[in-house]
């Protein structure tokens, strides 16, 4: 049976130049490289420069993704930006990136699902493509997340960084089986009862300020392990696949221990897990496409590989998707 699929034709990324190491952080606050590495796996993070905005990061990643997909910006009918750190409360950062790309047709908008934002945005784009309303979509995860941090709060400020990643999706007819190329399925969940364990204590409607990140780390950890494990099983089950069919796990880069926990639950060897948290830290919605791009660029992920992406963040919101990379008759 013919089924409309969203092929993942290309990916790209951008990281700000400035790097902040654990050693530098430990000169500012009461922490240590040892504590951070042991608890999280993070060694450094990138920090956007003064005057460098989320839209700048997202635009650079978008251009990189279009180049790798060998498409022009004019081919794109929809731009979705997953971000928690928009340039302005409105308009959407997506429209700024749209203008930066010189596109003035189609639709551009933002999605807010914090660290799960990229998986949410990918799911929305995939559904527009499957319904036939959109042919080519640019899905971007972009964050200047360090701007939400209280640099005196050592329990949160050591965890995050800035960056952007993007993918290009395009409609194509598949045969409806799990051997198809492109997005096989997406799975989204949220549970607003848990919103107080990870949030920002400000906003235009409540305090008229941006606010800072607040987190109950142990609770987030507990939910991440169980909810991500369940949504991975859901994604595999929906496609009649098992862990052994997955070539790569590209997880949200929140914490090395959560990543290892998922790999163990899936019985996946470390060689099949993309982990770049050591040099990116947690870049929220940018983390999955940043990791994906890194592994595509260094030759680990190849055309035809089956990739499982998953993420969880504030809300709580979480999700997973299965994607067979590239296109059927490509190289
Ligand atoms: N440096 C040194 N000591 C610290 C630091 C730090 N940066 N932060 C906290 N501590 C101290 C605490 O004050 C506490 O000291 P005490 O025992 O004297 O009171 C001690 O370390 C232990 O603190 P805990 O919060 O209990 O540390 P825990 O072992 O839970 O580790 C962590 C914290 C890494 C955040 C963990 O809870 C975790 O991995 N949670 C998952 C949450 C996560 O990954 N969040 C990322 C963003 S959300 C997302 O993307 C899903």
């Amino acid at each position: 049976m013919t089924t409309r699929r969203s092929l993942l034709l290309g990916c790209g990324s951008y990281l700000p130049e400035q790097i902040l190491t654990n050693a530098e952080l430990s000169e500012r606050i009461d922490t240590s490289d040892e504590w951070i590495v042991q608890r999280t796996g993070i060694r450094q993070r990138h920090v956007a420069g003064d005057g460098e905005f989320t839209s700048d990061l997202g635009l650079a990643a978008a251009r990189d993704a279009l180049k790798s997909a060998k498409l022009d910006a004019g081919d794109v009918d929809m731009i979705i930006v997953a971000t928690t750190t928009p340039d302005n409360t409105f308009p959407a950062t997506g429209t700024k990136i749209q203008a930066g790309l010189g596109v003035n047709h189609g639709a551009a908008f933002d999605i807010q699902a914090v660290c799960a934002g990229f998986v949410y945005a990918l799911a929305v784009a995939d559904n527009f493509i499957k319904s036939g309303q959109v042919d080519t979509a640019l899905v971007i995860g972009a964050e200047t997340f360090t701007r939400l941090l209280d640099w005196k709060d050592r329990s949160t400020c050591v965890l995050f960084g800035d960056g952007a990643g993007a993918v290009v999706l395009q409609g194509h007819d598949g045969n409806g089986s799990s051997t198809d190329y492109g997005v096989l399925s997406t799975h989204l969940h949220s549970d607003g009862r848990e919103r107080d364990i990870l949030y920002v204590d400000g906003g235009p409607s409540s305090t008229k300020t941006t606010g800072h990140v607040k987190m109950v780390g142990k609770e987030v950890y507990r939910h991440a392990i169980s909810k991500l494990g369940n949504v991975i099983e859901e994604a595999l089950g929906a496609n009649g696949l098992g862990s052994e069919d997955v070539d790569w796990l590209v997880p949200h880069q929140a914490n090395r221990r959560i990543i290892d926990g998922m790999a163990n639950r899936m019985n996946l060897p470390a060689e099949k897990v993309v982990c770049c948290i050591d040099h990116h830290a947690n870049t929220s919605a940018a983390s999955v496409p940043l990791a994906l791009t890194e592994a595509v660029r260094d030759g680990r992920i190849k055309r035809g590989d089956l990739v499982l992406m998953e993420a969880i963040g504030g809300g709580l919101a979480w999700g997973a998707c299965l994607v067979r990379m590239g296109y059927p008759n490509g190289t």
Side-chain angles (χ1 to χ4, degrees):
M1 192 185 69
T2 303
T3 302
R4 199 73 181 148
R5 297 287 194 192
S6 309
L7 300 183
L8 199 158
L9 296 185
C11 54
S13 62
Y14 175 80
L15 287 163
E17 237 174 71
Q18 193 189 335
I19 288 173
L20 179 62
T21 64
N22 290 350
E24 287 166 312
L25 262 179
S26 63
E27 284 165 18
R28 296 188 197 173
I29 50 167
D30 182 15
T31 189
S32 65
D33 179 57
E34 194 195 358
W35 192 97
I36 301 170
V37 172
Q38 202 181 62
R39 298 292 222 284
T40 70
I42 297 166
R43 293 182 185 276
Q44 62 172 47
R45 69 285 295 140
H46 289 250
V47 179
D50 288 341
E52 195 173 29
F53 301 151
T54 294
S55 63
D56 299 317
L57 275 54
L59 180 59
R63 286 188 171 131
D64 193 29
L66 284 166
K67 194 172 159 202
S68 90
K70 299 187 179 68
L71 289 178
D72 294 323
D75 298 322
V76 173
D77 331 289
M78 179 166 275
I79 299 170
I80 309 181
V81 178
T83 188
T84 301
T85 46
D87 291 12
N88 298 93
T89 304
F90 84 84
T93 300
T95 56
K96 211 164 166 186
I97 293 176
Q98 182 192 31
L101 289 170
V103 178
N104 56 13
H105 63 267
F109 58 96
D110 292 359
I111 276 192
Q112 160 60 294
V114 208
C115 299
F118 180 77
V119 175
Y120 267 63
L122 193 92
V124 172
D126 178 48
N127 279 291
F128 269 106
I129 288 172
K130 282 197 298 200
S131 75
Q133 285 192 67
V134 165
D135 185 51
T136 305
L138 191 52
V139 180
I140 304 164
E143 301 279 16
T144 46
F145 209 85
T146 60
R147 300 206 168 125
L148 289 178
L149 300 175
D150 172 358
W151 290 101
K152 293 190 194 77
D153 177 8
R154 66 178 183 172
S155 69
T156 53
C157 77
V158 302
L159 302 174
F160 297 92
D162 301 333
V167 301
V168 179
L169 300 179
Q170 192 166 67
H172 166 89
D173 287 332
N175 63 25
S177 80
S178 63
T179 60
D180 272 349
Y181 279 69
V183 179
L184 298 185
S185 65
T186 60
H187 306 268
L188 304 183
H189 295 277
S190 63
D191 185 348
R193 291 173 302 178
E194 308 297 344
R195 64 191 180 281
D196 291 343
I197 63 172
L198 180 56
Y199 68 103
V200 163
D201 64 351
S205 176
S206 54
T207 60
K208 298 187 234 169
T209 60
T210 309
H212 291 125
V213 173
K214 303 282 169 197
M215 181 177 76
V216 186
K218 280 194 178 9
E219 279 299 292
V220 174
Y221 184 89
R222 190 172 67 79
H223 283 286
I225 293 288
S226 73
K227 290 181 165 51
L228 289 175
N230 292 343
V231 79
I232 286 172
E233 277 172 21
E234 181 186 330
L236 291 170
N239 292 283
L241 297 169
S243 296
E244 65 285 359
D245 299 306
V246 173
D247 294 300
W248 294 99
L249 174 65
V250 180
H252 171 44
Q253 311 284 311
N255 185 306
R256 174 92 218 195
R257 291 188 301 178
I258 297 174
I259 294 172
D260 291 346
M262 286 312 104
N264 285 342
R265 179 143 168 189
M266 289 178 70
N267 264 326
L268 273 190
E271 305 82 69
K272 289 186 164 199
V273 181
V274 179
C275 187
C276 48
I277 189 161
D278 57 332
H279 49 286
H280 294 172
N282 181 350
T283 55
S284 190
S287 115
V288 170
L290 265 170
L292 180 75
T293 304
E294 184 169 307
V296 167
R297 293 280 153 87
D298 67 19
R300 275 178 288 172
I301 297 183
K302 297 185 176 59
R303 187 182 75 84
D305 281 353
L306 185 65
V307 173
L308 178 62
M309 306 180 213
E310 43 85 335
I312 185 166
L316 292 174
W318 67 101
C321 58
L322 270 167
V323 182
R324 194 172 301 286
M325 296 293 289
Y327 43 99
N329 302 310
T331 50

